[in-house]
């Protein structure tokens, strides 16, 4: 027994020793602190190499432009912008009152450096090498981007890249691999004081050289949680003051519980991303427009909205694009009509000749589709399988992880899939969701299955548009194209719900990054 | 060849094969480290994709990658993670420290307590106290770790406010780390304890009906003496086997605890690496696990020969 006691005592001593060697020097919060809880876990302290860190870093390193609440693009680091009539020259005047957190003044040279540097070293900005001929600075400090072709979306693209300090980043060869868990020099109202991966917290401190509207907090902390249930408990308990998830909402099923506490209010916005049924248009029978139309009638949109989004949204239009996007066009509402679905299939030659309840394709073989899906979309996938069965289309679910989904999707080893578009996803490429379908582009979340010259031309026209009127016309054309050709079928347009503690008021949400934007953190204040 | 030589050769071959599997298995899964690297809403041109593949060494033939993999291992270089932007050796060092701090004491304490309490329960089988203990620990044993951890978090952290809801630490002091780790460590200890308790209880139940136990009693030894001097030693053999297995998987076994308590440990590192096909991290982690499993088995072999005279090392 005595030996056991010695053993236990030694064990405790070992634990103490390990604890003392593991002790960390973490940030001590001082003054008024705003705490945000997020399920967007940071894996590495790299503002260009970690997508979640990149979103949070916008507070420290704001973008050149920003998206306003109404979806229009306005200046953020830039005071103003203008584009030439031919769409090939863009000018941005840089605000004169911006300072880096180390006291250096932000100059147009920093902005010029940022875009040259990103074009060369950051794969996601590689398109600039093929589009931007030159970035120059006029005598009055205006930054001039000379393009080799008209590019209508340049200001929108510049609402996503953080502006970097030349005097810091010019010595960093590979920005994707650069990590910094300490202080990151920024010029926003707050800068990143440290990133503590062990504690799961990003600490922002007030930029002492900030000359704009004074923030009401001394520091901001982003607390990341690997478990959504625990994050909900942290909100309820008051460990965090508000919730944020990029391109996502607070779980609908947990909203009522938060409301019951009486301590929370919600920023409620229409999502510009959406959940949709993707189809492999390179394969039969999905390449048949009649088949796609029949599927669109086979889906019970109200039910899927009720079961998958608990009613937080609405039945979509055939035009795919949600009303919250700029230049939305009202197209036909998608409709659940089994008779119509069966009629279209029958008329198109899909018949059940042997009477077993399963339709045969035009080759005479029974249709059996592969439904590639990920766990996030399990429920709508199961519903879809039932809907298809009701019109005689057999399908089997193939459940895979994200990497397998990407690989099989790119290899075309699927017939149907349910996926989502993010806000930026809807805006990328030629806007209005085109990036998800254009077969000339590739990417992790995109389907690139639309190999139609008419659609490609439309995308190119949008990219080369030189006026807002032109853009609007093309936007309408794209939505008409979607409605007529159904390259994908939206399942519902949902709401983004962002809870915050009532004691903190003044949240401002934009369609691209939700409440995580500079304006929001300048206007939020503690009222109780 | 002597028995030691044969055993050494066996271990050597096992290590060679496992290291080769460590290379092959991640690559047999669909996708590669580039598949899930940049985020779902980034579009790239084909030339950018090729550039990245080349940078990550994925454009080389598989045989060349295999040779380079062995060369790196022999240089003790575990490679570089393009997902986490750090050399794998630094990542492993950082994560292992926390996982060992969480799971190490839990494993040792859980095994020790499980063995002692299980032995007593087996010896006093049928008593009211034993029935209550067994009932409680059976319930723990049958409950999914994720669920029980969430319940404990809800009760002790949310309702009673005794522990923090997440993370390895807040301020970083030793007391703060202990405060953060206590609840997850207790949960892990409970799971290890419950399993070892059940096994030890069964083992003692079997041993106590042996002739040598009856002989010890006939000699006039007290219960405690019979149990801990004679039966305990023989009943301990299955626990040693389990301990050797647990020791090997100590690094990856805390995954659910890490997810519930938002901790950056080895479990979540391996899980994320699997999802993102981060070959270097998977290879490095598997290599460490391999070394631990083989060492633990070697140790178990030695312990077996010490505890049971029927098992000869040489």
């Amino acid at each position: 027994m005595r030996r056991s006691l010695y053993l236990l005592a030694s064990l405790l001593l070992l634990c103490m020793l390990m604890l003392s060697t593991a002790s960390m020097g973490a940030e001590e919060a001082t003054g008024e602190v705003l705490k945000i809880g997020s399920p967007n876990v940071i894996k590495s302290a790299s503002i260009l190499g970690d997508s979640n860190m990149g979103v949070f870093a916008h507070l420290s390193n704001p973008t050149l432009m920003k998206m306003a609440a109404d979806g229009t693009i306005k200046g953020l680091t830039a005071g103003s912008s203008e584009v030439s009539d031919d769409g090939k020259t863009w000018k941005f005047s840089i605000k004169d009152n911006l300072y880096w957190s180390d006291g250096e003044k932000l100059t147009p040279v920093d902005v010029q450096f940022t875009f040259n540097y990103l074009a060369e070293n950051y794969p996601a900005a590689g398109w600039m090498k093929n589009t931007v001929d030159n970035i120059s600075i006029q005598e009055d400090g205006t930054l001039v981007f000379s393009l080799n072709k008209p590019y209508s979306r340049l200001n929108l693209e510049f609402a996503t890249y953080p502006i970097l300090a030349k005097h810091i980043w010019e010595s960093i060869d590979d920005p994707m691999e650069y990590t910094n868990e300490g202080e990151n020099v920024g010029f926003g109202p707050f800068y990143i004081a440290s990133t503590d991966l062990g504690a799961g917290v990003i600490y922002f401190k007030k930029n002492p050289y900030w000359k704009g509207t004074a923030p009401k907090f001394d520091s901001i902390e982003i607390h990341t949680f690997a478990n959504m249930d625990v994050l909900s408990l942290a909100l309820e308990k008051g460990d965090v003051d508000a919730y944020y998830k990029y391109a996502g909402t607070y779980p609908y099923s947990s909203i009522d519980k938060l409301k019951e506490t009486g301590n929370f209010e919600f920023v409620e916005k229409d999502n510009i991303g959406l959940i949709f049924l993707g189809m492999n248009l390179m394969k039969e029978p999905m390449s048949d427009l009649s088949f796609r139309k029949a599927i669109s009638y086979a889906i019970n949109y109200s039910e899927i909205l009720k079961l998958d989004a608990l009613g937080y949204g609405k039945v979509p239009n055939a035009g795919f694009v949600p009303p919250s996007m700029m230049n939305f066009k009202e197209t036909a509402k998608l409709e659940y009509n089994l008779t119509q679905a069966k009629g279209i299939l029958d008329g198109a030659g899909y018949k059940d000749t042997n009477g077993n309840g399963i339709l045969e394709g035009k080759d005479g073989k029974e249709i059996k589709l592969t439904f590639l899906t990920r766990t996030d979309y399990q429920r709508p996938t199961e519903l879809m399988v039932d809907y298809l069965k009701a019109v005689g289309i057999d399908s089997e679910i193939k459940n895979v992880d994200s990497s397998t989904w990407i690989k099989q999707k790119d290899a075309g080893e699927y017939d149907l899939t349910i996926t989502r578009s993010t806000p930026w996803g809807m805006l990328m490429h030629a806007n209005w969701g085109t990036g998800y379908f254009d077969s000339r582009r590739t990417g992790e979340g995109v389907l690139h299955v639309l190999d139609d010259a008419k659609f490609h031309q439309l995308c190119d026209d949008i990219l080369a548009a030189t006026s807002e009127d032109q853009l609007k016309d093309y936007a309408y054309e794209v939505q008409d194209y979607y409605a007529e050709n159904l390259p994908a079928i939206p399942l519902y347009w949902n709401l983004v719900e962002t809870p915050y503690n009532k004691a903190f008021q003044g949240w401002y949400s934009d369609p691209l990054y939700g409440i995580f934007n500079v304006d929001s953190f300048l206007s939020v204040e503690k009222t109780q | 060849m002597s028995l030691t030589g044969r055993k050494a050769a066996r271990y050597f071959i096992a290590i060679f094969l496992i290291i080769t599997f460590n290379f092959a298995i991640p690559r047999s899964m669909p996708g590669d480290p580039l598949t899930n690297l940049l985020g779902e809403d980034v579009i790239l041109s084909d030339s950018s994709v090729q550039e990245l593949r080349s940078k990550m060494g994925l454009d080389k033939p598989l045989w060349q990658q295999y040779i380079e993999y062995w060369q790196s291992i022999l240089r003790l270089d575990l490679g570089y993670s393009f997902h986490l932007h750090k050399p794998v050796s630094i990542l492993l060092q950082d994560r292992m420290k926390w996982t060992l701090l969480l799971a190490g004491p839990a494993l040792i304490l859980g095994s020790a307590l499980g063995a002692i309490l299980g032995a007593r329960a087996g010896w006093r089988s049928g008593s009211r106290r034993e029935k209550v203990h067994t009932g409680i620990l059976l319930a723990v044993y049958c409950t999914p770790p994720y669920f029980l951890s969430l319940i404990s978090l809800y009760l002790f952290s949310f309702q009673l406010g005794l522990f923090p809801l997440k993370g390895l630490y807040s301020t970083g002091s030793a007391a703060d780390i202990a405060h953060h780790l206590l609840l997850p460590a207790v949960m892990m200890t409970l799971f290890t304890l419950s399993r070892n308790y059940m096994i030890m209880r069964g083992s003692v139940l079997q041993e106590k009906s042996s002739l040598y136990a009856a002989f010890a009693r006939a000699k006039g030894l007290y219960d405690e003496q019979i149990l801990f001097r004679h039966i305990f030693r023989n009943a301990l053999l299955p626990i040693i086997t389990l301990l050797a297995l647990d020791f090997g998987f100590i690094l990856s076994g805390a995954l659910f605890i890490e997810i519930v308590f938002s901790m950056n440990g080895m479990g979540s590192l391996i899980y994320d690496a699997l999802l993102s096909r981060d070959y270097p991290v998977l290879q490095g982690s598997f290599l460490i696990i391999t070394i631990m499993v083989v060492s633990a088995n070697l140790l178990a072999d030695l312990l077996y020969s010490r505890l049971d005279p029927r098992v000869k090392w040489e």
Side-chain angles (χ1 to χ4, degrees):
Chain A
M1 197 52 137
R2 187 174 291 173
R3 274 174 65 185
S4 301
L5 284 173
Y6 279 134
L7 192 73
L8 282 176
S10 313
L11 187 69
L12 281 173
L13 201 68
L14 183 72
C15 290
M16 297 291 280
L17 196 70
M18 285 172 82
L19 273 173
S20 61
T21 56
S23 297
M24 310 289 290
E27 286 287 321
E28 287 284 352
T30 50
E32 204 66 56
V33 186
L34 176 65
K35 294 178 179 177
I36 310 288
S38 174
N40 294 139
V41 174
I42 305 295
K43 305 263 167 63
S44 80
S46 168
I47 67 171
L48 290 170
D50 185 294
S51 53
N52 290 332
M53 186 76 188
V55 171
F56 294 128
H58 282 179
L59 188 55
S60 161
N61 293 64
T63 49
L64 185 61
M65 307 299 286
K66 69 177 178 184
M67 183 173 275
D70 62 359
T72 54
I73 303 299
K74 297 200 166 141
L76 184 55
T77 304
S80 63
S81 67
E82 60 178 78
V83 58
S84 63
D85 289 343
D86 65 359
K88 289 167 75 172
T89 307
W90 282 84
K91 291 183 178 176
F92 300 90
S93 69
I94 307 302
K95 287 180 183 168
D96 197 37
N97 62 344
L98 298 170
Y99 290 83
W100 297 101
S101 52
D102 59 2
E104 295 273 330
K105 192 174 193 311
L106 181 142
T107 67
V109 175
D110 286 310
V111 185
Q112 181 192 37
F113 163 79
T114 297
F115 289 105
N116 281 326
Y117 181 71
L118 292 177
E120 281 305 317
N121 301 297
Y122 187 45
W127 59 271
M128 278 195 263
K129 280 192 276 190
N130 307 320
T131 310
V132 180
D133 270 347
N134 177 260
I135 307 171
S136 58
I137 300 170
Q138 287 182 347
E139 273 183 23
D140 63 352
T142 302
L143 209 63
V144 182
F145 286 77
S146 306
L147 315 182
N148 54 28
K149 58 189 173 193
Y151 191 41
S152 63
R153 293 174 25 88
L154 197 76
N155 56 348
L156 174 59
E157 290 279 3
F158 288 172
T160 61
Y161 301 109
I163 302 297
L164 307 170
K166 182 172 187 267
H167 60 283
I168 305 285
W169 288 80
E170 63 187 345
S171 59
I172 297 163
D173 294 331
D174 191 345
M176 283 277 285
E177 302 310 319
Y178 174 67
T179 60
N180 179 8
E181 290 178 23
E183 184 178 320
N184 257 298
V185 172
F187 69 98
F190 296 89
Y191 68 97
I192 299 173
S194 68
T195 305
D196 196 326
L197 299 175
V201 186
I202 308 175
Y203 296 93
F204 285 89
K205 279 190 178 161
K206 200 152 69 175
N207 179 356
Y209 300 96
W210 174 255
K211 310 282 183 203
T213 310
K216 280 90 177 173
F217 295 93
D218 297 299
S219 53
I220 291 172
E221 294 176 4
I222 311 296
H223 291 255
T224 62
F225 290 76
N227 185 297
M228 191 55 230
D229 295 322
V230 181
L231 174 48
S232 298
L233 293 178
L235 268 168
E236 269 191 68
K237 197 177 169 216
D239 282 3
V240 291
D241 307 311
Y243 170 87
Y244 175 71
K245 182 183 182 186
Y246 171 68
T249 176
Y250 188 70
Y252 299 127
S253 56
S254 306
I255 288 176
D256 285 346
K257 193 159 183 283
L258 266 194
K259 282 184 176 167
E260 279 167 18
T261 64
N263 297 327
F264 289 89
E265 288 175 352
F266 290 77
V267 176
E268 186 175 88
K269 293 282 174 188
D270 288 323
N271 192 0
I272 65 169
L274 67 148
I275 306 285
F276 65 92
L277 173 72
M279 292 170 278
N280 186 350
L281 304 177
M282 308 289 190
K283 281 171 81 175
E284 284 284 351
M286 284 67 61
S287 56
D288 181 355
L289 177 59
S290 302
F291 187 80
R292 300 199 296 271
K293 278 195 173 151
I295 289 184
S296 80
Y297 280 111
I299 301 169
N300 187 340
Y301 299 96
S302 303
E303 185 180 69
I304 215 164
L305 173 66
K306 191 177 162 191
L307 293 177
D308 197 45
L310 303 184
Y312 286 90
K314 52 186 163 190
V315 172
N317 291 357
F320 193 79
V321 175
S324 46
M325 274 197 94
M326 282 283 284
N327 297 323
F328 164 76
K329 185 185 179 189
E330 193 73 62
T331 52
K333 197 128 221 102
L334 285 165
E335 185 192 342
Y336 173 52
N337 187 333
L338 274 183
T339 317
Q340 184 91 341
K342 285 176 181 169
I344 293 173
L345 286 168
D346 191 57
Y350 300 97
K351 297 185 189 296
D352 177 17
T353 52
N354 60 9
N356 69 349
I358 307 295
L359 297 176
E360 287 115 46
K362 290 175 179 172
D363 56 0
K365 291 180 187 164
E366 284 186 355
I367 299 174
K368 180 146 193 177
L369 305 180
T370 302
F371 220 126
L372 190 67
T373 193
R374 292 162 284 180
T375 45
D376 290 352
Y377 306 103
Q378 183 68 27
R379 193 160 205 194
T381 302
E382 284 167 0
L383 287 169
M384 274 303 306
V385 167
D386 286 346
Y387 298 152
L388 293 176
K389 200 161 191 180
V391 291
I393 300 168
D394 193 15
S395 57
E396 62 170 352
I397 297 175
K398 197 172 173 186
N399 248 315
V400 293
D401 71 328
S402 184
S403 290
T404 308
W405 183 83
I406 294 167
K407 202 68 190 171
Q408 299 204 338
K409 174 261 303 177
D410 285 343
E413 292 166 2
Y414 73 103
D415 295 311
L416 304 170
T417 187
I418 289 178
T419 186
R420 71 161 187 174
S421 61
T422 63
W424 175 246
M426 289 299 286
L427 298 164
M428 67 187 176
H429 188 41
N431 220 317
W432 298 288
T434 51
Y436 283 94
F437 308 114
D438 192 328
S439 59
R440 299 168 299 177
R441 294 284 183 278
T442 185
E444 292 170 20
V446 307
L447 298 178
H448 52 88
V449 284
L450 194 45
D451 192 18
D452 178 359
K454 189 182 166 192
F455 182 72
H456 289 176
Q457 187 57 50
L458 199 47
C459 293
D460 293 343
D461 289 342
I462 292 170
L463 292 170
T466 53
S467 73
E468 284 300 321
D469 288 342
Q470 262 186 329
L471 266 181
K472 188 175 178 181
D473 290 343
Y474 289 136
Y476 282 10
E477 262 189 65
V478 167
Q479 289 167 81
D480 285 336
Y481 181 92
Y482 288 148
E484 284 162 23
N485 295 283
L486 294 171
I489 301 170
L491 298 180
Y492 55 81
W493 288 331
N494 67 323
L495 293 167
V496 175
E497 300 282 349
T498 307
Y500 59 91
N501 194 305
K502 270 183 186 171
F504 298 84
Q505 295 290 336
W507 299 95
Y508 171 89
S509 178
D510 74 51
L512 194 49
Y513 293 110
I515 61 159
F516 207 90
N517 58 68
V518 170
D519 294 324
S520 198
F521 289 104
L522 287 176
S523 64
V524 166
E525 57 186 326
K526 194 169 185 181
T527 55
Q528 290 170 26
Chain B
M1 194 188 278
S2 68
L3 187 63
T4 307
R6 282 207 301 276
K7 275 186 191 259
R10 206 172 63 201
Y11 278 115
F12 183 77
I13 292 167
I15 288 174
F16 174 80
L17 286 176
I18 296 169
I19 290 176
T20 299
F21 284 137
N22 289 350
F23 173 85
I25 290 170
R27 283 166 179 78
S28 64
M29 295 189 289
D32 58 39
L34 183 57
T35 308
N36 221 340
L37 181 69
L38 296 174
E40 63 179 308
D41 51 11
V42 171
I43 47 176
L44 294 170
S45 62
D46 286 339
S47 61
S48 299
V49 172
Q50 286 315 316
E51 221 172 280
L52 280 168
R53 289 187 69 78
S54 169
K55 183 179 163 187
M56 298 167 83
L58 297 168
D59 57 338
K60 293 175 185 168
L62 212 56
W63 63 265
Q64 197 176 336
Q65 290 182 42
Y66 180 66
I67 289 172
E68 286 177 7
Y69 164 71
W70 266 107
Q71 285 171 339
S72 302
I73 286 178
L74 294 174
R75 283 198 310 269
L76 300 178
D77 172 8
L78 298 180
Y80 183 86
S81 167
F82 284 95
H83 278 268
L84 300 175
H85 314 293
K86 272 187 185 170
V88 174
S89 53
I90 292 176
L91 282 168
L92 292 180
Q93 204 180 320
D94 186 46
R95 299 292 189 100
M96 268 169 65
K97 174 178 73 184
W98 294 111
T99 300
L100 288 176
L101 195 57
L102 169 71
L107 177 65
I108 298 168
L109 211 60
S111 300
L113 288 176
I116 294 167
L117 295 176
R120 285 190 188 281
W123 187 250
R124 291 179 189 141
S125 161
S127 72
R128 179 177 281 185
R129 187 193 283 182
E130 184 270 335
K131 279 180 183 166
V132 172
H133 284 176
T134 305
I136 292 170
L137 289 171
L138 190 64
V140 171
Y141 186 54
C142 298
T143 311
Y146 185 86
F147 179 68
L148 197 66
S149 302
L150 258 182
I151 295 284
S152 72
L153 191 88
Y154 178 77
L155 190 66
F156 295 108
S157 300
F158 180 70
Q159 289 293 351
L160 301 175
L162 297 175
F163 300 101
L165 281 169
K166 66 148 212 165
L168 293 160
Y169 53 82
S170 303
T171 63
S173 68
D176 174 59
I177 294 171
H179 188 209
H180 279 72
L181 290 183
L182 192 58
L183 186 59
V186 166
M187 283 297 108
M188 281 204 78
T189 306
L190 255 182
F191 285 113
T192 315
L193 188 155
S194 63
R195 193 184 55 173
N196 287 322
Y197 175 93
M198 294 301 158
I199 290 164
M200 194 64 181
R201 181 179 165 274
S203 196
V204 167
L205 272 173
Q206 200 177 350
E207 290 292 328
K208 78 174 184 184
S209 55
S210 305
L211 281 175
Y212 73 87
F215 181 69
R217 187 178 291 281
K219 275 203 314 184
L221 292 181
Y222 295 115
D223 274 5
E224 290 278 308
Q225 289 172 317
I226 302 170
L227 176 61
F228 287 106
R229 276 194 201 164
H230 299 280
I231 291 180
F232 190 79
R233 197 177 159 125
N234 291 330
L236 202 58
L237 295 177
I239 298 285
I240 287 173
T241 311
L242 265 183
L243 196 62
L245 284 172
D246 281 351
F247 186 70
F249 293 102
I250 192 172
L251 295 179
S252 54
L255 175 64
F256 289 120
I257 301 277
E258 287 175 14
I259 289 175
V260 171
F261 293 91
S262 297
M263 292 173 157
N264 277 333
M266 281 296 292
S268 53
L269 179 76
I270 295 170
Y271 180 69
D272 288 340
L274 265 174
L275 292 184
S276 57
R277 311 292 192 261
D278 195 343
Y279 296 160
V281 170
L282 286 174
Q283 287 161 186
S285 308
F286 291 163
L287 180 69
I288 301 289
I289 292 173
T290 303
I291 292 168
M292 290 183 77
V293 170
V294 172
S295 315
N297 273 288
L298 192 64
L299 200 67
D301 269 1
L302 287 168
L303 272 175
Y304 254 76
S305 64
R306 283 285 302 272
L307 289 170
D308 188 347
R310 290 168 298 180
V311 181
K312 295 284 181 199
W313 176 256
E314 290 212 79

